Every structure is written in structure tokens, then in C-alpha cells.
Amino acid sequence: MTIAVYPGSFDPVTNGHLDIATRASRIFDKVIMAVFDRPISKQPLFDVSKRLALLREATQDLPYVHVDSYTILTVEYARQMGARVILRGMRSQSDFEPEFRMAQINRTIAPDIEIVMLMSDHAYTSFSSSTVRELASLGADISWLVPPHVTAAVENIYGHSV
Ligand code: ADP
């Protein structure tokens, strides 16, 4: 059984994240979307438990996709979950540099774990959680970027619906 851990902030989950998870679940036996629960310098939109709840609802029809959070090194978490793969999504050349650096570090400290990148579908290349947060804060429509229940949760925070 090949398990992949798909780590991220998922603040909030977008249709781009879900496309990567859906496609990965056709390759791996189990995909764990794992929210990295750490104190981050910038203020998150949602706390980890809300991000998990939004992820759970978004993946309820994806039987091979599971949702979890973790606080330790990603490679250590992957080992604990019995995963041999860390999955990441790649949108553009600007994603490449930091992902490549992180993959090199992870390979050095955990040669038993493979880092696998899936290229974004062209429909989702411009999608990011930060775009969702920025558009929503300015009152713009985000319903094309995220599932309906995420749109509702984000609009609830900004106190308006568009
Ligand atoms: P992080 O803070 O770790 O970058 P994110 O939640 O922003 O977490 O993203 C998690 C992973 O999903 C990253 O590998 C990121 O490149 C990838 N990703 C984000 N948005 C998309 C998208 N629209 N298409 C494909 N991959 C994406």
C-alpha cells in the first residue's frame, strides 16, 4: 500500500488543491491532506480546526483522501503515517525554486521518502489560498476558486456575500 502525505497550509483549501488530491488518489492507495499546525508569522484566516473541517467537507466524496494535521517535521510525520511519498503541487516556475530547495533538504534528512510533484492543471495555475484571502478581503467573488461551503465560510469572516 503506497501512502502519500500532501502537506500544506490549506488556508483555505482551493479547487487547485482538490484537483491535485483527486489526481493523486488515482495513483496512490491513500492520500493524506495534512495541515501543518505551527505558529506562522502572518495571521491565518482560519484556525487549524476550521481548516480541517473545511477540508473534510471538501473531500467527503473522495474515498482515498484523508485529512489530518501535524506539528512535527513533515518527513517525520510521513514516516509515522507509513507514507513513502510527500506530494506537492507545482503551478509555475516560481513554485519550482522553493519546492526544489525543500525537496533537496528533505532528501538529505530522509532519503527513504520520495518527493513527488504533480503539475497543476492549466485551469488552476493561478489559484492560491492567498488570492482567495485577498479577493475576499476586497469584496470580490471567490466562488470560482473554492467549493461553495468554503465560499460561505470565507464570506462569513468578511461579513458580506458577493
Ligand atoms: P504551503 O504553505 O505549504 O505552500 P499551500 O496550502 O499554499 O501550502 O499549498 C500546498 C501545496 O499545494 C503546495 O505544494 C502548493 O504548491 C500546492 N498548490 C497550491 N495551489 C495549487 C494549485 N492551484 N494547483 C496545484 N498545486 C497547488
Side-chain angles (χ1 to χ4, degrees):
M1 168 133 154
T2 310
I3 301 170
V5 164
Y6 180 19
S9 310
F10 304 113
D11 185 33
V13 60
T14 71
N15 294 336
H17 294 132
L18 293 170
D19 182 57
I20 295 291
T22 303
R23 288 162 52 203
S25 72
R26 296 182 199 126
I27 302 171
F28 303 108
D29 299 303
K30 183 172 167 183
V31 175
I32 304 170
M33 296 185 84
V35 178
F36 189 20
D37 180 5
R38 58 166 173 179
I40 38 179
S41 49
K42 60 180 177 359
Q43 184 69 21
L45 183 60
F46 293 110
D47 63 22
V48 170
S49 65
K50 184 65 182 177
R51 278 184 256 162
L52 287 171
L54 293 174
L55 268 169
R56 287 210 173 90
E57 192 169 342
T59 57
Q60 62 189 359
D61 295 329
L62 300 173
Y64 306 113
V65 178
H66 299 247
V67 169
D68 194 14
S69 65
Y70 69 104
T71 55
I72 55 177
L73 261 180
T74 304
V75 289
E76 206 50 59
Y77 172 73
R79 282 184 185 135
Q80 281 185 13
M81 301 310 284
R84 284 206 307 270
V85 170
I86 291 175
L87 171 71
R88 298 285 285 174
M90 185 88 80
R91 281 161 295 190
S92 61
Q93 206 158 343
S94 60
D95 271 350
F96 178 81
E97 201 55 49
E99 292 293 340
F100 186 68
R101 212 173 328 116
M102 197 156 42
Q104 300 294 325
I105 292 165
N106 282 334
R107 275 210 61 73
T108 304
I109 60 178
D112 51 318
I113 306 279
E114 286 297 339
I115 319 295
V116 172
M117 309 284 176
L118 282 187
M119 303 304 146
S120 177
D121 185 280
H122 67 89
Y124 304 111
T125 309
S126 64
F127 286 35
S128 70
S129 299
S130 61
T131 302
V132 171
R133 296 193 300 267
E134 200 169 327
L135 287 179
S137 73
L138 296 167
D141 179 27
I142 55 159
S143 60
W144 52 285
L145 291 162
V146 295
H149 70 285
V150 177
T151 302
V154 173
E155 287 176 352
N156 196 32
I157 286 198
Y158 289 107
H160 59 75
S161 102
V162 284

